[in-house]
Amino acid sequence: MKKIIVALLLLSLFSCQKKEVLLPQLDETIVADVKDHSPIYMFFETNGKDTLIDVNRSNSISSTNWLFNIDKRLPLKLVIPEIQKLQAKKEKSAHKSETAENYFTYMDKKKKTLAFLPLVEVEYVFDNPTLGMNTLYFKADGKMYFNKQQLSEQELEQYLNDLLIERESEIFIGYDKNLSFENYLKYRLKSKKIVIKKLGLSINYAKEFIY
């Protein structure tokens, strides 16, 4: 019976007007269940060599939690502007609930279950960081840089904690605008797990640079 319920849930979430959303797959569950929700779909489409996004929010209700079902192949340069527009509409709605939140949906590939990632309030900046800002940058080709220094995943945390700083400093997170939505979620979770032990150094998660 459990398998039947899960199958029906997946069908209701990710099939819309005979279109399909290929959800991101991650290795862990952040939130296992969301009550009182409305779905929003972002479909992957192509026109020749161009990648397009098709957004369907016809079933969204402002007073509920919103589930963003976003195709994992879509690039950030198409996804983030749509998220910004939808969040702005929800904020302006007279029916908005103060307790309603937004979530990204994905699949926990280890448990083979649906999971949710809270879409916390973030300021998205479509521009390069200001000169002199410390930036951890994730590229679409899988490479990772702190400022201009390329680092491996194994080197990252130790490198940051070995930095020489003369005053309190922040590290900002940047993402390649062509990064796939799936890899964006992976890197987002990875960056949240970085442990900074150096006094006076911190990571600013409230602002993300897309460039």
Side-chain angles (χ1 to χ4, degrees), residues 88-139:
K89 286 181 179 179
K90 189 175 188 180
E91 285 298 319
K92 293 178 181 178
S93 173
H95 304 291
K96 174 182 174 291
S97 168
E98 294 301 322
T99 59
E101 298 184 7
N102 301 324
Y103 296 85
F104 293 132
T105 60
Y106 66 95
M107 297 299 297
D108 184 325
K109 61 183 180 183
K110 290 184 177 179
K111 296 181 180 178
K112 301 188 186 306
T113 56
L114 187 66
F116 309 90
L117 178 65
L119 177 52
V120 295
E121 188 169 334
V122 173
E123 179 187 355
Y124 295 106
V125 180
F126 278 86
D127 200 358
N128 293 44
T130 304
L131 185 64
M133 293 177 69
N134 292 315
T135 308
L136 177 60
Y137 184 58
F138 297 99
K139 290 197 67 177

Short mmCIF file of all heavy atoms in Angstrom, two decimals, residues 88-139:
data_model
loop_
_atom_site.label_atom_id
_atom_site.label_comp_id
_atom_site.label_asym_id
_atom_site.label_seq_id
_atom_site.Cartn_x
_atom_site.Cartn_y
_atom_site.Cartn_z
N ALA A 88 7.60 37.29 -5.46
CA ALA A 88 7.09 38.65 -5.36
C ALA A 88 5.56 38.68 -5.43
O ALA A 88 4.90 39.41 -4.70
CB ALA A 88 7.68 39.52 -6.47
N LYS A 89 5.00 37.85 -6.32
CA LYS A 89 3.54 37.77 -6.44
C LYS A 89 2.91 37.23 -5.16
O LYS A 89 1.87 37.71 -4.71
CB LYS A 89 3.15 36.87 -7.62
CG LYS A 89 3.39 37.49 -8.98
CD LYS A 89 2.95 36.55 -10.10
CE LYS A 89 3.17 37.19 -11.46
NZ LYS A 89 2.77 36.28 -12.57
N LYS A 90 3.56 36.24 -4.57
CA LYS A 90 3.02 35.67 -3.34
C LYS A 90 3.05 36.68 -2.20
O LYS A 90 2.11 36.78 -1.41
CB LYS A 90 3.81 34.42 -2.96
CG LYS A 90 3.19 33.62 -1.80
CD LYS A 90 3.96 32.33 -1.56
CE LYS A 90 3.24 31.46 -0.55
NZ LYS A 90 3.96 30.19 -0.28
N GLU A 91 4.15 37.44 -2.12
CA GLU A 91 4.28 38.44 -1.07
C GLU A 91 3.21 39.53 -1.16
O GLU A 91 2.74 40.06 -0.16
CB GLU A 91 5.67 39.09 -1.13
CG GLU A 91 6.79 38.22 -0.62
CD GLU A 91 6.65 37.87 0.85
OE1 GLU A 91 6.27 38.76 1.63
OE2 GLU A 91 6.89 36.71 1.20
N LYS A 92 2.81 39.85 -2.40
CA LYS A 92 1.82 40.91 -2.61
C LYS A 92 0.38 40.43 -2.47
O LYS A 92 -0.54 41.23 -2.42
CB LYS A 92 2.02 41.53 -3.99
CG LYS A 92 3.32 42.29 -4.16
CD LYS A 92 3.47 42.81 -5.57
CE LYS A 92 4.79 43.55 -5.75
NZ LYS A 92 4.98 44.04 -7.14
N SER A 93 0.19 39.12 -2.42
CA SER A 93 -1.16 38.58 -2.37
C SER A 93 -1.85 38.90 -1.04
O SER A 93 -1.25 38.78 0.03
CB SER A 93 -1.12 37.06 -2.56
OG SER A 93 -2.39 36.50 -2.35
N ALA A 94 -3.11 39.28 -1.13
CA ALA A 94 -3.89 39.57 0.07
C ALA A 94 -4.21 38.31 0.85
O ALA A 94 -4.58 38.36 2.02
CB ALA A 94 -5.19 40.29 -0.33
N HIS A 95 -4.08 37.15 0.19
CA HIS A 95 -4.41 35.88 0.83
C HIS A 95 -3.18 35.16 1.37
O HIS A 95 -3.29 34.03 1.85
CB HIS A 95 -5.12 34.97 -0.17
CG HIS A 95 -6.34 35.58 -0.79
ND1 HIS A 95 -7.49 35.81 -0.06
CD2 HIS A 95 -6.58 36.04 -2.04
CE1 HIS A 95 -8.41 36.37 -0.84
NE2 HIS A 95 -7.87 36.53 -2.04
N LYS A 96 -2.02 35.79 1.31
CA LYS A 96 -0.79 35.17 1.75
C LYS A 96 -0.85 34.84 3.25
O LYS A 96 -1.29 35.65 4.06
CB LYS A 96 0.40 36.10 1.49
CG LYS A 96 1.72 35.61 2.04
CD LYS A 96 2.82 36.61 1.78
CE LYS A 96 4.11 36.20 2.45
NZ LYS A 96 4.03 36.31 3.92
N SER A 97 -0.40 33.66 3.59
CA SER A 97 -0.33 33.24 4.99
C SER A 97 1.07 33.52 5.53
O SER A 97 2.07 33.26 4.84
CB SER A 97 -0.64 31.75 5.12
OG SER A 97 -0.32 31.28 6.41
N GLU A 98 1.15 34.03 6.75
CA GLU A 98 2.45 34.33 7.35
C GLU A 98 3.23 33.06 7.68
O GLU A 98 4.45 33.11 7.85
CB GLU A 98 2.26 35.17 8.62
CG GLU A 98 1.71 36.57 8.36
CD GLU A 98 2.60 37.39 7.44
OE1 GLU A 98 3.83 37.27 7.55
OE2 GLU A 98 2.07 38.14 6.61
N THR A 99 2.55 31.94 7.77
CA THR A 99 3.22 30.68 8.12
C THR A 99 3.55 29.84 6.89
O THR A 99 4.26 28.84 7.00
CB THR A 99 2.35 29.85 9.08
OG1 THR A 99 1.09 29.56 8.45
CG2 THR A 99 2.10 30.61 10.37
N ALA A 100 3.04 30.22 5.73
CA ALA A 100 3.30 29.44 4.51
C ALA A 100 4.73 29.67 4.03
O ALA A 100 5.22 30.79 4.06
CB ALA A 100 2.30 29.82 3.42
N GLU A 101 5.36 28.60 3.57
CA GLU A 101 6.74 28.68 3.10
C GLU A 101 6.86 28.11 1.69
O GLU A 101 5.90 27.57 1.15
CB GLU A 101 7.67 27.93 4.06
CG GLU A 101 7.69 28.51 5.48
CD GLU A 101 8.68 27.79 6.37
OE1 GLU A 101 9.44 26.95 5.87
OE2 GLU A 101 8.69 28.08 7.58
N ASN A 102 8.04 28.24 1.11
CA ASN A 102 8.31 27.70 -0.22
C ASN A 102 9.38 26.62 -0.12
O ASN A 102 10.31 26.73 0.69
CB ASN A 102 8.78 28.80 -1.16
CG ASN A 102 7.76 29.91 -1.32
OD1 ASN A 102 6.56 29.67 -1.31
ND2 ASN A 102 8.24 31.14 -1.44
N TYR A 103 9.25 25.60 -0.97
CA TYR A 103 10.20 24.48 -0.93
C TYR A 103 10.57 24.05 -2.34
O TYR A 103 9.74 24.10 -3.26
CB TYR A 103 9.59 23.26 -0.23
CG TYR A 103 9.25 23.46 1.23
CD1 TYR A 103 8.03 24.04 1.61
CD2 TYR A 103 10.13 23.06 2.23
CE1 TYR A 103 7.72 24.22 2.95
CE2 TYR A 103 9.82 23.23 3.58
CZ TYR A 103 8.61 23.81 3.93
OH TYR A 103 8.31 23.99 5.25
N PHE A 104 11.83 23.63 -2.50
CA PHE A 104 12.24 22.92 -3.71
C PHE A 104 11.96 21.44 -3.48
O PHE A 104 12.25 20.91 -2.40
CB PHE A 104 13.73 23.09 -3.98
CG PHE A 104 14.15 24.49 -4.33
CD1 PHE A 104 15.25 25.07 -3.71
CD2 PHE A 104 13.48 25.22 -5.30
CE1 PHE A 104 15.67 26.35 -4.04
CE2 PHE A 104 13.89 26.50 -5.63
CZ PHE A 104 14.98 27.07 -5.00
N THR A 105 11.42 20.75 -4.49
CA THR A 105 11.24 19.31 -4.38
C THR A 105 12.40 18.59 -5.08
O THR A 105 12.95 19.10 -6.06
CB THR A 105 9.92 18.85 -5.00
OG1 THR A 105 9.91 19.21 -6.39
CG2 THR A 105 8.73 19.48 -4.31
N TYR A 106 12.76 17.43 -4.55
CA TYR A 106 13.81 16.62 -5.16
C TYR A 106 13.62 15.17 -4.70
O TYR A 106 12.75 14.87 -3.87
CB TYR A 106 15.20 17.14 -4.78
CG TYR A 106 15.55 17.03 -3.31
CD1 TYR A 106 16.26 15.93 -2.82
CD2 TYR A 106 15.17 18.01 -2.39
CE1 TYR A 106 16.59 15.82 -1.48
CE2 TYR A 106 15.48 17.91 -1.05
CZ TYR A 106 16.20 16.81 -0.60
OH TYR A 106 16.51 16.70 0.73
N MET A 107 14.43 14.28 -5.24
CA MET A 107 14.37 12.88 -4.85
C MET A 107 15.62 12.53 -4.04
O MET A 107 16.73 12.88 -4.42
CB MET A 107 14.31 11.97 -6.09
CG MET A 107 13.08 12.17 -6.95
SD MET A 107 11.53 11.82 -6.07
CE MET A 107 11.73 10.08 -5.71
N ASP A 108 15.40 11.87 -2.90
CA ASP A 108 16.51 11.30 -2.14
C ASP A 108 16.86 9.99 -2.82
O ASP A 108 16.12 9.01 -2.73
CB ASP A 108 16.09 11.07 -0.69
CG ASP A 108 17.23 10.56 0.19
OD1 ASP A 108 18.08 9.79 -0.32
OD2 ASP A 108 17.26 10.91 1.38
N LYS A 109 17.99 9.96 -3.53
CA LYS A 109 18.31 8.78 -4.34
C LYS A 109 18.75 7.59 -3.50
O LYS A 109 18.75 6.46 -4.00
CB LYS A 109 19.37 9.11 -5.39
CG LYS A 109 20.69 9.58 -4.87
CD LYS A 109 21.59 9.94 -6.06
CE LYS A 109 22.96 10.43 -5.60
NZ LYS A 109 23.79 10.84 -6.75
N LYS A 110 19.11 7.80 -2.25
CA LYS A 110 19.45 6.69 -1.37
C LYS A 110 18.19 6.02 -0.83
O LYS A 110 18.05 4.80 -0.85
CB LYS A 110 20.33 7.17 -0.22
CG LYS A 110 21.74 7.57 -0.65
CD LYS A 110 22.59 7.94 0.54
CE LYS A 110 24.02 8.26 0.12
NZ LYS A 110 24.87 8.65 1.28
N LYS A 111 17.27 6.84 -0.35
CA LYS A 111 16.02 6.30 0.21
C LYS A 111 14.97 6.06 -0.87
O LYS A 111 13.98 5.39 -0.63
CB LYS A 111 15.45 7.28 1.24
CG LYS A 111 16.32 7.48 2.46
CD LYS A 111 15.65 8.45 3.43
CE LYS A 111 16.52 8.66 4.67
NZ LYS A 111 15.89 9.64 5.61
N LYS A 112 15.21 6.65 -2.06
CA LYS A 112 14.25 6.57 -3.16
C LYS A 112 12.88 7.13 -2.75
O LYS A 112 11.83 6.55 -3.02
CB LYS A 112 14.11 5.12 -3.65
CG LYS A 112 15.43 4.52 -4.13
CD LYS A 112 15.22 3.18 -4.78
CE LYS A 112 16.55 2.52 -5.13
NZ LYS A 112 17.44 3.36 -5.94
N THR A 113 12.93 8.29 -2.10
CA THR A 113 11.71 8.96 -1.65
C THR A 113 11.75 10.44 -2.05
O THR A 113 12.82 11.01 -2.30
CB THR A 113 11.55 8.88 -0.12
OG1 THR A 113 12.72 9.43 0.51
CG2 THR A 113 11.36 7.44 0.33
N LEU A 114 10.58 11.03 -2.08
CA LEU A 114 10.46 12.46 -2.35
C LEU A 114 10.90 13.24 -1.12
O LEU A 114 10.64 12.84 0.02
CB LEU A 114 9.00 12.78 -2.68
CG LEU A 114 8.69 14.19 -3.15
CD1 LEU A 114 9.32 14.45 -4.51
CD2 LEU A 114 7.17 14.38 -3.24
N ALA A 115 11.60 14.36 -1.33
CA ALA A 115 12.06 15.18 -0.22
C ALA A 115 11.95 16.66 -0.60
O ALA A 115 11.70 16.99 -1.76
CB ALA A 115 13.50 14.82 0.14
N PHE A 116 12.17 17.52 0.39
CA PHE A 116 11.94 18.95 0.19
C PHE A 116 13.06 19.77 0.82
O PHE A 116 13.55 19.45 1.90
CB PHE A 116 10.59 19.36 0.80
CG PHE A 116 9.45 18.49 0.36
CD1 PHE A 116 9.12 17.35 1.09
CD2 PHE A 116 8.75 18.77 -0.79
CE1 PHE A 116 8.08 16.53 0.68
CE2 PHE A 116 7.71 17.95 -1.21
CZ PHE A 116 7.38 16.83 -0.48
N LEU A 117 13.43 20.84 0.14
CA LEU A 117 14.46 21.75 0.63
C LEU A 117 13.84 23.13 0.81
O LEU A 117 13.34 23.71 -0.16
CB LEU A 117 15.61 21.82 -0.37
CG LEU A 117 16.77 22.76 -0.03
CD1 LEU A 117 17.49 22.28 1.22
CD2 LEU A 117 17.75 22.85 -1.20
N PRO A 118 13.82 23.65 2.03
CA PRO A 118 13.22 24.98 2.25
C PRO A 118 13.91 26.04 1.41
O PRO A 118 15.13 26.11 1.34
CB PRO A 118 13.46 25.22 3.75
CG PRO A 118 13.62 23.86 4.34
CD PRO A 118 14.31 23.04 3.28
N LEU A 119 13.11 26.86 0.77
CA LEU A 119 13.62 27.97 -0.03
C LEU A 119 13.65 29.20 0.86
O LEU A 119 12.73 30.01 0.89
CB LEU A 119 12.72 28.19 -1.25
CG LEU A 119 13.04 29.36 -2.18
CD1 LEU A 119 14.49 29.31 -2.62
CD2 LEU A 119 12.12 29.36 -3.38
N VAL A 120 14.73 29.32 1.63
CA VAL A 120 14.85 30.43 2.56
C VAL A 120 15.06 31.73 1.79
O VAL A 120 15.48 31.72 0.63
CB VAL A 120 16.02 30.21 3.55
CG1 VAL A 120 15.76 29.02 4.43
CG2 VAL A 120 17.32 30.01 2.80
N GLU A 121 14.76 32.83 2.45
CA GLU A 121 14.86 34.12 1.77
C GLU A 121 16.31 34.45 1.43
O GLU A 121 17.18 34.52 2.30
CB GLU A 121 14.28 35.22 2.66
CG GLU A 121 14.16 36.56 1.96
CD GLU A 121 13.36 37.56 2.76
OE1 GLU A 121 12.52 37.15 3.57
OE2 GLU A 121 13.59 38.76 2.54
N VAL A 122 16.58 34.60 0.16
CA VAL A 122 17.92 34.88 -0.33
C VAL A 122 17.85 36.04 -1.32
O VAL A 122 16.93 36.12 -2.13
CB VAL A 122 18.53 33.65 -1.04
CG1 VAL A 122 19.86 34.01 -1.69
CG2 VAL A 122 18.73 32.50 -0.07
N GLU A 123 18.80 36.94 -1.26
CA GLU A 123 18.90 38.01 -2.25
C GLU A 123 19.77 37.49 -3.40
O GLU A 123 20.95 37.20 -3.23
CB GLU A 123 19.55 39.25 -1.65
CG GLU A 123 19.70 40.38 -2.66
CD GLU A 123 20.49 41.56 -2.11
OE1 GLU A 123 20.84 41.55 -0.92
OE2 GLU A 123 20.76 42.50 -2.89
N TYR A 124 19.16 37.37 -4.57
CA TYR A 124 19.90 36.92 -5.75
C TYR A 124 20.43 38.13 -6.50
O TYR A 124 19.68 39.06 -6.81
CB TYR A 124 18.99 36.11 -6.68
CG TYR A 124 18.50 34.80 -6.09
CD1 TYR A 124 17.18 34.67 -5.66
CD2 TYR A 124 19.35 33.71 -5.96
CE1 TYR A 124 16.73 33.46 -5.13
CE2 TYR A 124 18.91 32.50 -5.43
CZ TYR A 124 17.59 32.39 -5.01
OH TYR A 124 17.15 31.21 -4.49
N VAL A 125 21.71 38.11 -6.81
CA VAL A 125 22.35 39.21 -7.51
C VAL A 125 22.90 38.69 -8.84
O VAL A 125 23.79 37.85 -8.85
CB VAL A 125 23.49 39.83 -6.68
CG1 VAL A 125 24.13 40.99 -7.45
CG2 VAL A 125 22.98 40.29 -5.33
N PHE A 126 22.36 39.19 -9.95
CA PHE A 126 22.83 38.77 -11.27
C PHE A 126 23.97 39.68 -11.71
O PHE A 126 23.84 40.50 -12.60
CB PHE A 126 21.67 38.79 -12.27
CG PHE A 126 20.82 37.57 -12.23
CD1 PHE A 126 19.76 37.48 -11.33
CD2 PHE A 126 21.07 36.48 -13.06
CE1 PHE A 126 18.98 36.35 -11.26
CE2 PHE A 126 20.29 35.34 -13.00
CZ PHE A 126 19.24 35.26 -12.09
N ASP A 127 25.09 39.49 -11.05
CA ASP A 127 26.27 40.31 -11.37
C ASP A 127 27.47 39.71 -10.66
O ASP A 127 27.34 38.93 -9.72
CB ASP A 127 26.06 41.75 -10.90
CG ASP A 127 26.99 42.74 -11.59
OD1 ASP A 127 27.83 42.29 -12.41
OD2 ASP A 127 26.88 43.94 -11.31
N ASN A 128 28.66 40.09 -11.11
CA ASN A 128 29.88 39.68 -10.42
C ASN A 128 29.96 40.35 -9.06
O ASN A 128 29.50 41.50 -8.91
CB ASN A 128 31.11 40.06 -11.24
CG ASN A 128 31.22 39.28 -12.53
OD1 ASN A 128 30.24 39.09 -13.25
ND2 ASN A 128 32.41 38.82 -12.84
N PRO A 129 30.54 39.68 -8.08
CA PRO A 129 30.74 40.34 -6.79
C PRO A 129 31.64 41.57 -6.94
O PRO A 129 32.45 41.65 -7.86
CB PRO A 129 31.44 39.26 -5.95
CG PRO A 129 31.10 37.97 -6.62
CD PRO A 129 30.99 38.29 -8.08
N THR A 130 31.47 42.51 -6.04
CA THR A 130 32.31 43.71 -6.06
C THR A 130 33.77 43.33 -5.86
O THR A 130 34.08 42.40 -5.11
CB THR A 130 31.86 44.68 -4.95
OG1 THR A 130 30.48 44.98 -5.12
CG2 THR A 130 32.66 45.97 -4.99
N LEU A 131 34.67 44.04 -6.52
CA LEU A 131 36.09 43.78 -6.41
C LEU A 131 36.50 43.80 -4.94
O LEU A 131 36.18 44.72 -4.19
CB LEU A 131 36.88 44.85 -7.18
CG LEU A 131 38.40 44.65 -7.26
CD1 LEU A 131 38.72 43.38 -8.04
CD2 LEU A 131 39.05 45.86 -7.90
N GLY A 132 37.21 42.77 -4.52
CA GLY A 132 37.67 42.69 -3.14
C GLY A 132 36.81 41.79 -2.26
O GLY A 132 37.21 41.46 -1.14
N MET A 133 35.63 41.39 -2.75
CA MET A 133 34.77 40.49 -1.99
C MET A 133 35.29 39.05 -2.10
O MET A 133 35.62 38.59 -3.19
CB MET A 133 33.32 40.55 -2.50
CG MET A 133 32.63 41.87 -2.25
SD MET A 133 30.95 41.92 -2.94
CE MET A 133 30.10 40.77 -1.86
N ASN A 134 35.39 38.38 -0.97
CA ASN A 134 35.79 36.97 -0.98
C ASN A 134 34.64 36.13 -1.51
O ASN A 134 33.52 36.19 -0.97
CB ASN A 134 36.16 36.51 0.43
CG ASN A 134 37.42 37.17 0.93
OD1 ASN A 134 38.41 37.26 0.20
ND2 ASN A 134 37.41 37.65 2.16
N THR A 135 34.88 35.34 -2.55
CA THR A 135 33.80 34.61 -3.19
C THR A 135 34.18 33.15 -3.44
O THR A 135 35.23 32.86 -4.01
CB THR A 135 33.42 35.25 -4.54
OG1 THR A 135 33.16 36.64 -4.36
CG2 THR A 135 32.19 34.58 -5.13
N LEU A 136 33.31 32.27 -3.02
CA LEU A 136 33.41 30.85 -3.35
C LEU A 136 32.50 30.62 -4.54
O LEU A 136 31.30 30.83 -4.46
CB LEU A 136 32.97 29.99 -2.16
CG LEU A 136 32.96 28.49 -2.37
CD1 LEU A 136 34.35 27.97 -2.71
CD2 LEU A 136 32.42 27.78 -1.12
N TYR A 137 33.10 30.22 -5.67
CA TYR A 137 32.37 30.18 -6.93
C TYR A 137 32.30 28.77 -7.49
O TYR A 137 33.32 28.07 -7.62
CB TYR A 137 33.06 31.10 -7.94
CG TYR A 137 32.38 31.23 -9.28
CD1 TYR A 137 31.07 31.69 -9.37
CD2 TYR A 137 33.05 30.91 -10.46
CE1 TYR A 137 30.44 31.83 -10.60
CE2 TYR A 137 32.43 31.05 -11.70
CZ TYR A 137 31.12 31.51 -11.76
OH TYR A 137 30.51 31.64 -12.98
N PHE A 138 31.08 28.34 -7.84
CA PHE A 138 30.85 27.01 -8.39
C PHE A 138 30.54 27.14 -9.89
O PHE A 138 29.56 27.77 -10.27
CB PHE A 138 29.68 26.32 -7.68
CG PHE A 138 29.93 26.08 -6.22
CD1 PHE A 138 29.41 26.93 -5.26
CD2 PHE A 138 30.67 24.99 -5.81
CE1 PHE A 138 29.64 26.70 -3.91
CE2 PHE A 138 30.91 24.74 -4.47
CZ PHE A 138 30.39 25.61 -3.51
N LYS A 139 31.38 26.53 -10.73
CA LYS A 139 31.22 26.63 -12.17
C LYS A 139 30.38 25.49 -12.72
O LYS A 139 30.25 24.43 -12.10
CB LYS A 139 32.59 26.63 -12.85
CG LYS A 139 33.40 27.91 -12.63
CD LYS A 139 34.52 28.03 -13.66
CE LYS A 139 33.96 28.25 -15.05
NZ LYS A 139 35.03 28.44 -16.06
#
